């Protein structure tokens, strides 16, 4: 574990009065979204030690920032440990993250593993590296979580990541499956949480710019052209411009699944249905014309969450960002 100091000299960004007001409102909104996710999925519990996976990108910086604010306000005690995986990509600025984390006074650890050489050796040039890179990262981070005694692993995926993953699985995997807000890791040893599950990417972009986070671009995966996720991202962006409210409706739908009106016999016992079963979830209204009113999911003020210890007993995180 690296010792803490105060050596980092991040250039100070002077905000105008309007920008300062914008930052304050934006930070409160993100706190509210994160607080809602924590409460709804019981992500953080008293005594937790949360390993915050920090990549050097906008999302993980924002996650750490908001969790530190909530840590100072919550009626329960939990610890944060920021962990970065240095994958030994050529030109990676090794000093930036340690100096930044030291300036925050947060406990941190940098894990050095040359996964870059493994990925570039195993994956032919021109092919996407994401799958192998992700598996290697997960294994190393899960091992690190065990070594430091973390009870939760926090990943920086946001609402838009979750929607994109669902669309990718539908189009290319034949499954309606996304990133859950909370789950058990694939090795069965850790609880993974995504505190940014209710946060919009556009707000995280604004927040990162106003906070002047020292962003470190990923030269391994971020520079790959024609990734299917990028295609999905563009499609959703176009929808958001041309059909305001559609993205919000899609995310709300992910929280309102009706198994009886899908086709998965493992989730619903279709075989036993008879005329004596009664009307199930409104019956067959698939072809009815409905007046649809789009509305955002109910938002729980973070102040209400933090005010009651029984309301915020847990915080969990999982996935690598």
């Amino acid at each position: 574990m690296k010792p803490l100091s105060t050596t980092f000299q991040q250039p100070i960004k002077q905000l105008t009065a309007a920008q300062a007001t914008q930052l304050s409102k934006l930070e409160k909104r993100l706190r509210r979204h994160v607080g809602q996710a924590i409460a709804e999925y019981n992500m953080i519990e008293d005594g937790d030690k949360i390993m915050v996976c920090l990549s050097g990108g906008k999302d993980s910086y924002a996650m750490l920032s908001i969790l530190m604010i909530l840590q100072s306000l919550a009626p329960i005690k939990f610890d944060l440990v920021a962990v970065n995986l240095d994958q030994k990509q050529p030109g990676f600025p090794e000093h930036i993250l340690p100096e930044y984390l030291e300036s925050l006074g947060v406990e941190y650890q940098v894990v050095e593993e040359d996964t870059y050489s493994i990925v570039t050796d195993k994956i032919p040039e021109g092919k996407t590296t994401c799958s192998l890179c992700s598996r290697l990262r997960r294994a190393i981070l899960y091992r690190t979580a065990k070594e430091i005694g973390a009870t939760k692993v926090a990943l920086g995926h946001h609402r838009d990541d979750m929607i994109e993953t669902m669309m990718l699985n539908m189009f290319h995997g034949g499954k309606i499956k996304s990133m859950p807000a909370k789950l058990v890791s694939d090795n069965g040893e850790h609880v993974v949480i995504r505190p940014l599950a209710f946060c919009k990417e556009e707000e995280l972009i604004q927040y990162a710019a106003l906070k002047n986070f020292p962003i470190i671009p990923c030269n391994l995966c971020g520079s790959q052209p024609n990734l299917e996720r990028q295609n999905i991202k563009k499609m959703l962006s176009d929808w958001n411009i041309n059909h305001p409210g559609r993205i919000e409706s899609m995310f709300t739908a992910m929280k309102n699944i009706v198994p009886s009106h899908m086709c998965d016999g493992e989730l619903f016992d279709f075989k036993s249905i008879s005329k004596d079963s009664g009307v199930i979830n409104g019956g067959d209204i698939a072809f009815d014309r409905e007046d649809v009113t789009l509305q955002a999911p109910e938002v729980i003020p973070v102040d209400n969450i933090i005010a009651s210890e029984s309301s915020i007993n847990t915080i969990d995180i999982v996935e690598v960002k």
Side-chain angles (χ1 to χ4, degrees):
M1 199 78 65
K2 294 290 184 71
L4 300 181
S5 68
T6 55
T7 60
F8 183 70
Q9 298 297 323
Q10 170 74 354
I12 298 176
K13 183 175 182 178
Q14 298 295 335
L15 300 180
T16 65
Q19 288 174 325
T21 300
Q22 181 187 7
L23 175 59
S24 177
K25 291 181 178 179
L26 187 56
E27 193 163 71
K28 288 179 181 178
R29 192 178 308 128
L30 292 173
R31 277 173 45 197
R32 184 171 67 246
H33 291 325
V34 173
Q36 180 187 3
I38 289 172
E40 188 164 328
Y41 298 104
N42 191 31
M43 289 185 182
I44 297 178
E45 299 169 287
D46 192 27
D48 265 339
K49 185 174 186 178
I50 302 169
M51 187 177 95
V52 182
C53 298
L54 202 66
S55 66
K58 69 181 189 312
D59 304 324
S60 58
Y61 275 129
M63 175 174 63
L64 176 61
S65 177
I66 299 300
L67 286 179
M68 290 180 69
I69 294 173
L70 294 181
Q71 183 187 38
S72 69
L73 299 173
I76 62 173
K77 176 177 172 52
F78 60 91
D79 296 321
L80 301 173
V81 181
V83 172
N84 169 251
L85 173 57
D86 180 355
Q87 299 178 265
K88 296 304 176 184
Q89 296 183 35
F92 182 79
E94 297 180 356
H95 65 287
I96 289 182
L97 272 171
E99 292 179 359
Y100 175 71
L101 293 170
E102 287 170 5
S103 75
L104 296 179
V106 66
E107 184 179 356
Y108 76 96
Q109 181 170 342
V110 176
V111 181
E112 298 184 0
E113 294 281 353
D114 189 2
T115 62
Y116 179 85
S117 295
I118 297 174
V119 170
T120 52
D121 178 63
K122 299 294 184 183
I123 304 297
E125 186 174 354
K127 299 293 183 179
T128 57
T129 61
C130 297
S131 179
L132 176 58
C133 185
S134 180
R135 290 198 302 272
L136 293 172
R137 286 203 315 271
R138 282 203 304 272
I140 295 167
L141 289 172
Y142 292 161
R143 182 197 71 201
T144 303
K146 190 172 185 178
E147 290 173 351
I148 68 175
T151 56
K152 306 287 173 57
V153 178
L155 301 176
H157 298 104
H158 47 69
R159 183 203 69 173
D160 299 72
D161 287 325
M162 296 167 73
I163 296 174
E164 290 164 14
T165 299
M166 180 182 69
M167 302 298 284
L168 281 168
N169 277 312
M170 288 177 63
F171 294 167
H172 303 288
K175 295 180 180 179
I176 298 180
K177 174 183 175 182
S178 182
M179 297 174 174
K182 180 182 179 182
L183 76 160
V184 175
S185 60
D186 48 343
N187 66 0
E189 297 182 353
H190 306 285
V191 175
V192 176
I193 58 173
R194 294 184 173 91
L196 301 183
F198 296 163
C199 297
K200 302 177 183 180
E201 183 175 25
E202 61 181 317
E203 293 181 341
L204 294 169
I205 292 172
Q206 296 170 17
Y207 186 63
L210 291 168
K211 293 284 287 186
N212 197 27
F213 292 138
I215 304 298
I216 303 173
C218 176
N219 296 322
L220 181 59
C221 57
S223 59
Q224 295 179 93
N226 301 320
L227 292 179
E228 284 302 322
R229 183 173 291 275
Q230 298 301 321
N231 295 333
I232 295 293
K233 184 183 288 289
K234 183 180 184 307
M235 180 188 73
L236 293 174
S237 176
D238 291 342
W239 280 359
N240 194 43
I241 294 171
N242 297 319
H243 306 280
R246 178 174 289 186
I247 304 302
E248 283 73 16
S249 181
M250 290 176 67
F251 188 72
T252 301
M254 291 172 64
K255 300 171 64 179
N256 290 283
I257 298 170
V258 185
S260 63
H261 284 56
M262 300 295 282
C263 298
D264 191 335
E266 297 295 322
L267 295 180
F268 188 82
D269 185 9
F270 293 98
K271 290 183 179 180
S272 66
I273 291 179
S274 69
K275 64 181 180 61
D276 298 322
S277 298
V279 177
I280 301 172
N281 288 318
D284 188 7
I285 57 174
F287 295 101
D288 292 3
R289 181 170 181 170
E290 300 182 17
D291 292 326
V292 179
T293 301
L294 297 178
Q295 66 180 49
E298 179 185 1
V299 173
I300 303 173
V302 71
D303 292 338
N304 291 353
I305 296 171
I306 301 236
S308 170
E309 181 171 346
S310 62
S311 298
I312 177 171
N313 288 334
T314 58
I315 292 183
D316 310 330
I317 307 171
V318 185
E319 266 241 3
V320 179
K321 186 79 176 171

